[in-house]
Amino acid sequence: MSNLASRLWLWPAFMAMALGALVQPCHGTTKSSITDPAAFLSQAEALHRKDHPRFVQMLAQIHSEAPPLTAQEQWRLRYLDAWETMFEGNYIKSEAQLRNVIDHSGDAVLIAKASALLLSNLGVNQRYEEAFALANHLTSELPTINDPVARYSVLMNLSQILDFAGQIDLAIHYAQMMQDAMPPGESPCLPYSMQIAALYNGKRLTSASSILQQGIDACVGDHQPVITNSARLVLSNLYLDENQPAKTIALLDQVEPSIQLNHYYPHMLSSLVQRAEAYAKLGDDADAKKAALAAVALGHPGEISEWLMVAYDVLYKIEKQHGNAAAALDYYEHYASQDKSYYNDISARTMAYEMAQQHVLAQQLETEKLNKQNSILRLQQALSTKAMETSRLYIILLLLCLGFVVFWLLKLKRSQLRFKELSYLDGLTGIFNHQHFISEADHALRLLQKKTGSACLIFIDLDHFKQVNDTHGHAIGDTVLKHTITICKQHLRPTDLFGRLGGEEFGILLLECSRDQAIAIADRIRLAIEATPVDAEGSIITFSVSVGLASTDTSGYELQRLCREADAALYRAKRTGRNRVIVHGELVEA
C-alpha cells in the first residue's frame, strides 16, 4: 500500500490558525458597563486569538447590554459574530453572515477580513471551485488593501489555500509576505507556521530544518498552544518519515497534556494515529492496535479523512500479520474506501484550481479582445479622413490585430484541451485515473454484453511497496510505479483498458478475452515484473506483484461484482504469499 504515514495532515490544523483556535484558561477580569462601544469591539477583536473565552464573554456582554451602536460598529459586531459562528463549526450559518458583511457593509476593511475568513470556510467544506475563484479575486485586490490587520489576514488565507492546491512556491511567497507585513503586536508565529506547512507539503522539510524550531519557539513565546502543537506534530511526523519512531513517541508524550487541555479534535486524532504508526514500526503491535482503535473510535460517523485511512491501514497489517483474515479484510475494506475518497478529493482540488485559472485566462482574453476592437474602431475613424495611400497601413494593422486575437484563442483552446486530458489521466503514470477507468470499463462491459463476448478484469498490487518508499524514498517509489506501467503496456492490446485505482494498485479490463487467455497475460506480466528489476541510483530494486482476476464467464457483466471478485482474488493472492495470480474461484500460482 502507499506510504500514507508520510503525508501531512495540515488543512484542519491550520484552520485553527485562520480562526486562532486557542482554548486557554480565561484570566479573571472585572466586568464593567460598556461606555465606548468602538473601543470595546477593538478590545474584543484583539482577544479573539489570545483569550478566546474572554472574547466569547465580551460578545455575550455587548449583545445583552445592547448599547447604542453606529452603523459601522453594528457591521463590525456582525463580523465578530460570524467569526465565532465559524469557530463553533457552523459553516453554513457563518457563510451567510460573512456574505452579508461583504455585500452590504460598505466597509473595505471589514470586506477584506470577511472575504479572507470566507476563503477558509469554502476550503474546509470542499467547495474548491468557489474557494479558488475567491482566492483569485483577493489576489487582484491585494494591492488596494492597506489596513495592516486585514492585509495580514488575506495573506495568511491565500498562503493556506494555495498550499492546499499544491502551489507550494506561491504559498511560501505569501507566508513570507505575511512576515514582512506583520501588524504591530504580532509575532512571527503564524508566518513561520504557514511556511512550515508549505515546506512540508512540498517535501522540503526535515526534522533538522532550522525554520521548524524557529516556528515552535515563536509560537511558544506568543502563547499560541494550538499552533505550537501543530508544528510539533509536524516534527513528530518527520521523525516517522525518517524512521525514528522512538523520537515520535517521546515527542507525543511531551505534547499530550497540551493536546488534551486544548481538546482540539484534529490534534487528538492525528496524535493517536502517529502513535499507532510509531508503535507498529517499533514492533509493539498491542500498543499500535490500541492507539489505532482509539483513533477510529474518536472519528465522526461517515467521516472521510487521511487520519482514519492510516489508522485502518495499521489495523489491517496487524490483523493480517497475526493471521486474523476476517478482521484484516474488514479493516482493508475501510482503508480502501478512505483511500479512494482521498484521491477523489485531491482530483477535485486540482480540477477546481485549474478551472479557476482557466476562468481568469478567459476573462483576460475577453478584455484584450474588447480593447483590440476599440482600437480597431478608433483606427477606422482616423483612416476615414486620410487619403488612399494610408489604406494599406490600415489593412496591415487590422490583420495584425486579428492574428493576435486568433493566437490567444488558439492558446486558450489548447489549454482547455490539456485540462480535459488531465481530468481523466493519472498525473504520475499517464494512464487512466480511477474515476475514468471505472466509467470506461462500465461502458465497455455494457456494449460487450450485447454481443455476448467475454472479458476479464485484473487487479494488480505491488508487493511490499511501502518498504520501497521507506528504504529508497518516494522518488524511487515513483520510478518503480512508472516501470511497472511500462511493463504492463508491453503485454496489453490497444483495445484493453488500463488505469490506476489508487496508490500502487492498478486495474486492467481485457475485452474479447477468455479466462485462460487472461490468466496467461496476467502471469506474463507478473513474470516480466519479477524478472525486470529497477536500477535506481546504483541500487538494484527487485519487486513482485500480486494479481487478482475475475471473468464475465463466471461473474457476469456487472462491473461492481467483477470489482468485488477481482479484489477478493487479489486479497487471496496477498494472503497466500504474494507474487502470484489468483483467479476468482481457483488458484493459479507462479
Side-chain angles (χ1 to χ4, degrees):
M1 298 302 156
S2 57
N3 187 12
L4 302 173
S6 65
R7 298 176 185 162
L8 183 61
W9 314 315
L10 284 175
W11 176 256
F14 283 93
M15 272 297 298
M17 300 177 190
L19 291 173
L22 305 178
V23 184
Q24 299 177 351
C26 179
H27 301 293
T29 56
T30 302
K31 178 178 177 180
S32 57
S33 298
I34 302 171
T35 57
D36 186 349
F40 187 88
L41 289 170
S42 295
Q43 181 186 4
E45 187 172 0
L47 288 174
H48 74 304
R49 281 194 292 113
K50 295 294 181 68
D51 193 344
H52 179 257
R54 174 61 181 148
F55 168 72
V56 174
Q57 290 178 3
M58 295 181 74
L59 278 186
Q61 181 181 351
I62 196 169
H63 281 294
S64 64
E65 293 186 16
L69 300 177
T70 65
Q72 184 180 20
E73 291 166 352
Q74 289 175 359
W75 283 112
R76 190 173 184 186
L77 178 58
R78 290 171 187 170
Y79 163 73
L80 295 177
D81 286 337
W83 188 98
E84 178 58 26
T85 302
M86 185 171 169
F87 176 83
E88 293 170 355
N90 192 338
Y91 297 108
I92 296 176
K93 182 179 178 181
S94 67
E95 179 186 351
Q97 293 173 319
L98 290 169
R99 290 193 185 278
N100 188 33
V101 173
I102 294 169
D103 295 338
H104 303 294
S105 70
D107 187 321
V109 173
L110 282 179
I111 291 172
K113 292 179 180 178
S115 298
L117 201 57
L118 179 60
L119 183 59
S120 291
N121 188 313
L122 295 172
V124 78
N125 282 289
Q126 299 181 327
R127 292 164 60 184
Y128 302 131
E129 187 174 347
E130 296 174 67
F132 293 131
L134 179 57
N136 284 334
H137 172 72
L138 287 175
T139 302
S140 64
E141 293 291 322
L142 192 58
T144 66
I145 301 175
N146 298 319
D147 180 80
V149 176
R151 184 177 179 84
Y152 189 71
S153 178
V154 169
L155 288 169
M156 176 177 64
N157 284 278
L158 284 174
S159 175
Q160 180 174 277
I161 196 71
L162 288 168
D163 183 11
F164 196 52
Q167 303 300 308
I168 303 303
D169 291 328
L170 282 175
I172 293 172
H173 173 70
Y174 282 118
Q176 291 171 341
M177 289 178 67
M178 280 180 65
Q179 196 158 359
D180 296 334
M182 286 192 301
E186 280 287 348
S187 83
C189 171
L190 283 177
Y192 273 135
S193 300
M194 290 295 168
Q195 291 182 66
I196 289 170
L199 289 169
Y200 189 102
N201 283 335
K203 298 182 180 180
R204 307 177 191 177
L205 201 65
T206 69
S207 61
S209 298
S210 59
I211 190 173
L212 187 54
Q213 190 58 49
Q214 291 170 357
I216 292 174
D217 293 341
C219 293
V220 169
D222 195 36
H223 306 291
Q224 300 268 20
V226 172
I227 308 177
T228 303
N229 290 342
S230 296
R232 284 174 171 162
L233 287 173
V234 170
L235 179 57
S236 65
N237 210 56
L238 284 168
Y239 286 145
L240 277 176
D241 292 345
E242 296 165 4
N243 204 26
Q244 301 183 70
K247 289 188 176 181
T248 297
I249 296 296
L251 183 54
L252 290 175
D253 288 340
Q254 178 185 346
V255 301
E256 184 65 24
S258 177
I259 291 176
Q260 294 301 323
L261 174 64
N262 290 286
H263 207 69
Y264 184 48
Y265 169 73
H267 289 174
M268 296 170 67
L269 188 56
S270 61
S271 64
L272 285 171
V273 174
Q274 288 189 28
R275 279 188 183 278
E277 284 200 291
Y279 281 131
K281 283 179 176 285
L282 291 169
D284 188 347
D285 287 352
D287 283 338
K289 182 177 180 180
K290 180 181 178 181
L293 287 173
V296 170
L298 185 63
H300 300 143
E303 177 182 0
I304 298 297
S305 79
E306 217 170 337
W307 303 311
L308 296 178
M309 177 170 55
V310 177
Y312 282 123
D313 186 44
V314 171
L315 291 170
Y316 158 69
K317 291 175 180 175
I318 291 175
E319 297 296 351
K320 180 180 177 182
Q321 183 178 351
H322 288 79
N324 301 326
L329 180 58
D330 181 61
Y331 288 133
Y332 181 81
E333 289 175 351
H334 282 88
Y335 159 76
S337 174
Q338 296 279 346
D339 187 47
K340 290 176 182 178
S341 298
Y342 171 77
Y343 279 109
N344 288 340
D345 187 61
I346 289 178
S347 298
R349 283 185 239 161
T350 303
M351 290 178 64
Y353 180 78
E354 292 296 336
M355 288 180 67
Q357 299 307 107
Q358 290 293 327
H359 181 67
V360 170
L361 180 60
Q363 286 183 327
Q364 292 174 346
L365 181 58
E366 187 64 28
T367 301
E368 290 177 3
K369 287 172 62 178
L370 291 174
N371 290 336
K372 296 303 177 184
Q373 291 171 358
N374 291 334
S375 298
I376 292 171
L377 289 173
R378 288 194 298 268
L379 182 59
Q380 288 174 334
Q381 292 173 355
L383 288 174
S384 65
T385 62
K386 295 183 180 180
M388 184 62 69
E389 61 268 20
T390 59
S391 62
R392 293 181 181 178
L393 178 61
Y394 164 76
I395 295 172
I396 294 173
L397 291 174
L398 180 59
L399 290 175
L400 286 175
C401 292
L402 292 175
F404 186 76
V405 172
V406 170
F407 168 77
W408 276 104
L409 287 172
L410 290 174
K411 185 176 181 181
L412 176 60
K413 186 64 177 178
R414 184 178 178 182
S415 297
Q416 290 172 337
L417 291 174
R418 175 60 178 164
F419 174 67
K420 182 178 180 182
E421 180 183 354
L422 291 175
S423 68
Y424 62 78
L425 294 183
D426 178 67
L428 174 65
T429 60
I431 60 177
F432 287 161
N433 59 30
H434 178 272
Q435 183 177 2
H436 193 69
F437 174 79
I438 293 298
S439 175
E440 289 296 312
D442 184 66
H443 179 69
L445 287 170
R446 291 179 188 275
L447 293 177
L448 190 64
Q449 185 176 14
K450 296 178 181 179
K451 300 188 297 183
T452 64
S454 297
C456 293
L457 181 64
I458 296 175
F459 279 2
I460 299 176
D461 192 280
L462 273 66
D463 297 327
H464 303 297
F465 183 69
K466 185 177 185 300
Q467 294 180 4
V468 174
N469 278 336
D470 290 345
T471 305
H472 303 280
H474 289 278
I476 301 302
D478 291 346
T479 300
V480 170
L481 290 175
K482 293 176 183 177
H483 180 71
T484 302
I485 297 302
T486 300
I487 293 176
C488 289
K489 285 182 175 179
Q490 293 171 355
H491 296 273
L492 299 180
R493 303 164 299 175
T495 57
D496 296 329
L497 299 179
F498 188 21
R500 185 181 183 189
L501 302 180
E504 68 275 15
E505 186 174 348
F506 304 95
I508 299 172
L509 181 63
L510 302 174
L511 299 170
E512 299 293 347
C513 180
S514 68
R515 185 170 63 169
D516 290 340
Q517 291 172 327
I519 293 171
I521 292 171
D523 208 46
R524 285 199 298 269
I525 291 174
R526 182 193 65 78
L527 289 171
I529 290 173
E530 182 183 21
T532 314
V534 173
D535 186 357
E537 300 177 356
S539 298
I540 302 300
I541 302 174
T542 58
F543 61 99
S544 62
V545 296
S546 297
V547 183
L549 187 149
S551 171
T552 56
D553 294 339
T554 56
S555 304
Y557 294 89
E558 184 183 3
L559 180 59
Q560 283 189 335
R561 180 178 176 185
L562 281 168
C563 288
R564 285 196 305 268
E565 294 180 354
D567 198 53
L570 174 61
Y571 176 71
R572 286 179 55 207
K574 289 284 189 180
R575 186 180 59 188
T576 55
R578 297 183 173 85
N579 191 20
R580 63 195 60 209
V581 178
I582 295 292
V583 183
H584 178 67
E586 62 181 86
L587 172 64
V588 178
E589 295 187 359

